Amino acid sequence: MTKDELKLIKDAFKLVLTEENKATDKVIASSPVPSERIYRRCDEKAKEIIDEQKKSLPARKLLTVLIAATLIISLFAVVAYAARDKIGGFFVDFFEKYAELTSENNNENNYSPSDVSITYLPEDYNETRKNIGIASALYEWKNSEKIITLQFRIFSDGSQAVDTENSNYTTIEVGDLTVFKAEKYGDISATWTDEKMVYTLSATGVEWDEMVKIIEGIKIEE
């Protein structure tokens, strides 16, 4: 092993230990549960690095790269764990092509999807699907080629993805709610929670102002 290779490993160790100490302090303060997708993504990235280097490096140098890659990918996982933000009732993990919204179990949630009341829809929309289950529900309305879909489930352990790849993605405040909005190819989706239910509203050919009215018109009948 050359001096340069040894220095690379030492520098990687120093970087990991320094950042891990900082991250540990944050983790102790907030203690969010890390998403399994974070670890899967780190494993995938490490494999990509290793597979790429196998094509060009001799075995001795490859060992150095493997050690450094493992340490640095571990650092990414620690930092992602510590920097995990809670936005609008969700823990949010950002990845290359999507954002993952994770809700935590709420043992005091005694609500049912049948408690949800939808008080506003644009004119001339007909209900084409309605499925209300014990833990989730699905509604669909159509007006010619225009489609509105509303899905929701009880706020409990679980996660869902919001497509952020090549989309107009943002967070918007609607009343007291933080809404995760993504617009792509003319379709708009909105995800939010009132910490009783997790909702996803999707629409084709519908203006955002109308979607806001739908969101504002969703109530829980206690």
Side-chain angles (χ1 to χ4, degrees), residues 63-131:
L63 176 61
T64 305
V65 171
L66 293 180
I67 295 172
T70 301
L71 291 171
I72 292 171
I73 293 299
S74 298
L75 169 63
F76 291 160
V78 171
V79 171
Y81 181 14
R84 198 179 189 202
D85 293 326
K86 191 170 187 181
I87 305 173
F90 295 105
F91 285 111
V92 184
D93 299 310
F94 290 97
F95 297 91
E96 185 177 353
K97 298 181 180 180
Y98 64 93
E100 182 182 63
L101 313 182
T102 304
S103 54
E104 288 189 310
N105 183 43
N106 182 351
N107 294 324
E108 298 180 357
N109 194 336
N110 297 316
Y111 296 95
S112 164
S114 59
D115 297 330
V116 175
S117 175
I118 304 160
T119 65
Y120 177 82
L121 278 175
E123 293 182 358
D124 301 324
Y125 276 82
N126 298 312
E127 186 176 272
T128 51
R129 293 177 67 188
K130 180 179 179 180
N131 186 357

Side-chain angles (χ1 to χ4, degrees), residues 45-64:
K45 183 59 66 175
K47 187 176 183 302
E48 289 176 11
I49 295 173
I50 292 168
D51 289 345
E52 184 64 28
Q53 296 302 323
K54 277 182 179 179
K55 300 175 183 177
S56 57
L57 291 179
R60 187 176 177 185
K61 289 189 177 180
L62 179 60
L63 176 61
T64 305

Side-chain angles (χ1 to χ4, degrees), residues 1 5 7 38 48 56 59-60 101 112 119-121 125 152 157 165 172 174 189-190 198 219:
M1 184 176 295
E5 292 167 351
K7 185 177 183 302
I38 290 179
E48 289 176 11
S56 57
R60 187 176 177 185
L101 313 182
S112 164
T119 65
Y120 177 82
L121 278 175
Y125 276 82
F152 50 91
D157 288 337
E165 184 183 19
I172 296 177
V174 177
S189 68
V198 175
K219 308 294 182 184

Side-chain angles (χ1 to χ4, degrees), residues 3-222:
K3 290 183 179 180
D4 289 341
E5 292 167 351
L6 183 60
K7 185 177 183 302
L8 174 61
I9 294 174
K10 287 181 178 179
D11 289 345
F13 269 117
K14 289 178 182 178
L15 178 62
V16 170
L17 291 175
T18 299
E19 295 302 324
E20 188 173 28
N21 286 338
K22 294 178 183 177
T24 300
D25 291 338
K26 294 181 181 179
V27 170
I28 292 173
S30 59
S31 298
V33 179
S35 165
E36 290 184 5
R37 292 195 182 187
I38 290 179
Y39 297 111
R40 289 201 299 270
R41 181 57 180 155
C42 289
D43 289 341
E44 291 168 2
K45 183 59 66 175
K47 187 176 183 302
E48 289 176 11
I49 295 173
I50 292 168
D51 289 345
E52 184 64 28
Q53 296 302 323
K54 277 182 179 179
K55 300 175 183 177
S56 57
L57 291 179
R60 187 176 177 185
K61 289 189 177 180
L62 179 60
L63 176 61
T64 305
V65 171
L66 293 180
I67 295 172
T70 301
L71 291 171
I72 292 171
I73 293 299
S74 298
L75 169 63
F76 291 160
V78 171
V79 171
Y81 181 14
R84 198 179 189 202
D85 293 326
K86 191 170 187 181
I87 305 173
F90 295 105
F91 285 111
V92 184
D93 299 310
F94 290 97
F95 297 91
E96 185 177 353
K97 298 181 180 180
Y98 64 93
E100 182 182 63
L101 313 182
T102 304
S103 54
E104 288 189 310
N105 183 43
N106 182 351
N107 294 324
E108 298 180 357
N109 194 336
N110 297 316
Y111 296 95
S112 164
S114 59
D115 297 330
V116 175
S117 175
I118 304 160
T119 65
Y120 177 82
L121 278 175
E123 293 182 358
D124 301 324
Y125 276 82
N126 298 312
E127 186 176 272
T128 51
R129 293 177 67 188
K130 180 179 179 180
N131 186 357
I132 302 177
I134 296 174
S136 63
L138 167 66
Y139 288 85
E140 182 184 81
W141 303 273
K142 289 185 179 181
N143 175 1
S144 185
E145 299 300 317
K146 300 177 181 179
I147 304 173
I148 299 173
T149 304
L150 176 65
Q151 302 177 67
F152 50 91
R153 60 174 173 81
I154 294 173
F155 185 83
S156 61
D157 288 337
S159 61
Q160 60 196 91
V162 175
D163 184 6
T164 59
E165 184 183 19
N166 299 323
S167 69
N168 184 12
Y169 166 79
T170 188
T171 56
I172 296 177
E173 301 300 317
V174 177
D176 296 332
L177 302 170
T178 298
V179 178
F180 296 81
K181 175 190 173 188
E183 186 172 1
K184 189 172 184 177
Y185 306 133
D187 297 337
I188 304 175
S189 68
T191 302
W192 74 97
T193 183
D194 53 14
E195 300 199 8
K196 299 179 182 71
M197 299 284 164
V198 175
Y199 306 87
T200 298
L201 178 66
S202 304
T204 301
V206 180
E207 296 295 328
W208 174 246
D209 288 347
E210 291 290 334
M211 294 184 68
V212 168
K213 292 177 182 178
I214 297 172
I215 295 170
E216 292 174 334
I218 294 174
K219 308 294 182 184
I220 296 281
E221 304 277 349
E222 299 195 20

